[in-house]
């Protein structure tokens, strides 16, 4: 009895599986042609547009790549130009310094000679003063100035006070008593302060 019941259950299960299989085959037979037709229609209608879109994206990507490469090349050129300009400016500054420094030395030595001759040889001192007036326009054209004036108020931007002299004359207080060595200005900037003695009023 037990084995008979088991065989009956197996036949029943097999019958159900067979029915399910036939039902699935029927669905496939009915639906697959329609599904295939839908896929074919989508392929026919959508694929050209999709292909066109992909091609346009590829073209745009290529243009962007070229634009980026051009930009990088431009930056590289500008960077090279900046480096070259910086090097050129540095060379000009070095050359300028090589010209200005000897002129300042000449100016200081000329001032020392002129000061010495003022008390030793009046005629030669006059000639030196005349020569200085002749070269003054060229010096001004180069924007080189000599800080050498005495009897004016001390300006710590251009004067270095190395000695203080006492005076009982109030009007001399804070003024330059003597210039020990001249200073120099180049293009309005102080390159060297004049070393001076200054008056200090005392009661």
């Amino acid at each position: 009895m037990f084995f008979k019941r088991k065989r009956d259950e197996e036949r029943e299960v097999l019958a159900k599986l067979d029915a399910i299989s036939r039902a699935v085959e029927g669905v496939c037979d009915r639906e697959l042609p329609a599904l295939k037709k839908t896929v074919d229609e989508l392929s026919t209608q959508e694929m050209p547009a999709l292909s066109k879109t992909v091609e346009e994206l590829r073209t745009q990507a290529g243009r962007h790549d070229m634009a980026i490469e051009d930009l990088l090349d431009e930056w590289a050129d500008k960077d090279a130009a900046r480096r070259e300009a910086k090097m050129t400016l540095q060379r000009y500054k070095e050359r300028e310094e090589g010209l200005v420094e000897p002129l300042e030395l000449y100016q200081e030595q000329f001032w020392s000679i002129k000061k010495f001759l003022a008390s030793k040889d009046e005629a030669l001192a006059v000639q030196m003063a005349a020569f200085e007036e002749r070269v003054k326009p060229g010096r001004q054209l180069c924007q080189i100035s000599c800080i050498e004036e005495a009897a004016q108020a001390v300006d710590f931007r251009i004067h270095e006070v190395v000695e203080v002299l006492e005076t009982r004359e109030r009007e001399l207080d804070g003024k330059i008593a003597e210039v020990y060595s001249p200073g120099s200005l180049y293009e309005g900037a102080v390159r060297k302060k004049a070393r001076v003695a200054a008056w200090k009023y005392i009661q």
Side-chain angles (χ1 to χ4, degrees):
M1 287 293 291
F2 173 76
F3 291 108
K4 183 177 181 299
R5 188 168 60 251
K6 189 171 182 60
R7 284 195 299 272
D8 291 341
E9 290 176 355
E10 290 177 353
R11 282 195 294 270
E12 185 179 352
V13 169
L14 290 173
K16 289 181 179 179
L17 289 173
D18 185 58
I20 292 172
S21 177
R22 286 196 300 272
V24 170
E25 289 177 357
V27 170
C28 290
D29 290 341
R30 291 194 306 273
E31 300 298 332
L32 278 177
L35 181 60
K36 185 176 183 302
K37 181 179 179 182
T38 301
V39 170
D40 291 341
E41 289 176 352
L42 287 174
S43 300
T44 303
Q45 297 173 4
E46 302 296 333
M47 285 303 293
L50 182 59
S51 298
K52 183 179 179 181
T53 301
V54 170
E55 186 62 29
E56 289 177 352
L57 290 174
R58 187 180 293 115
T59 301
Q60 291 179 7
R63 290 174 181 169
H64 288 316
D65 288 343
M66 292 176 62
I68 291 173
E69 289 178 3
D70 292 342
L71 184 59
L72 291 174
D73 290 341
E74 183 180 351
W75 284 349
D77 292 341
K78 287 183 177 179
D79 188 51
R82 279 196 296 269
R83 287 198 300 270
E84 180 62 27
K86 187 176 180 180
M87 291 174 62
T88 301
L89 181 60
Q90 182 63 31
R91 287 195 297 269
Y92 279 136
K93 285 184 177 180
E94 291 173 356
R95 186 181 303 173
E96 182 181 42
E97 182 66 22
L99 292 171
V100 173
E101 190 172 356
L103 286 173
E104 288 178 333
L105 182 60
Y106 148 78
Q107 184 172 260
E108 187 172 345
Q109 293 300 318
F110 187 88
W111 179 87
S112 298
I113 294 171
K114 184 178 66 173
K115 184 178 181 182
F116 173 78
L117 291 176
S119 61
K120 301 294 182 181
D121 191 330
E122 185 176 351
L124 190 55
V126 171
Q127 292 180 19
M128 293 288 286
F131 174 76
E132 185 178 26
E133 286 299 316
R134 291 214 315 266
V135 300
K136 188 175 180 179
R139 193 175 64 184
Q140 290 175 339
L141 188 63
C142 296
Q143 300 189 50
I144 299 175
S145 305
C146 184
I147 306 171
E148 58 180 340
E149 293 81 7
Q152 63 174 340
V154 172
D155 184 343
F156 290 102
R157 295 174 299 176
I158 60 175
H159 298 129
E160 179 187 357
V161 178
V162 296
E163 186 178 6
V164 176
L165 304 177
E166 296 180 347
T167 179
R168 294 187 182 278
E169 298 182 41
R170 187 184 296 273
E171 63 274 11
L172 292 179
D173 186 47
K175 291 187 177 180
I176 295 172
E178 185 177 356
V179 177
Y180 294 145
S181 65
S184 62
L185 295 168
Y186 178 58
E187 294 185 339
V190 179
R191 286 178 56 90
K192 181 181 178 183
K193 292 184 178 182
R195 301 176 77 248
V196 302
W199 294 112
K200 180 180 180 181
Y201 172 71
I202 60 170
Q203 295 181 348

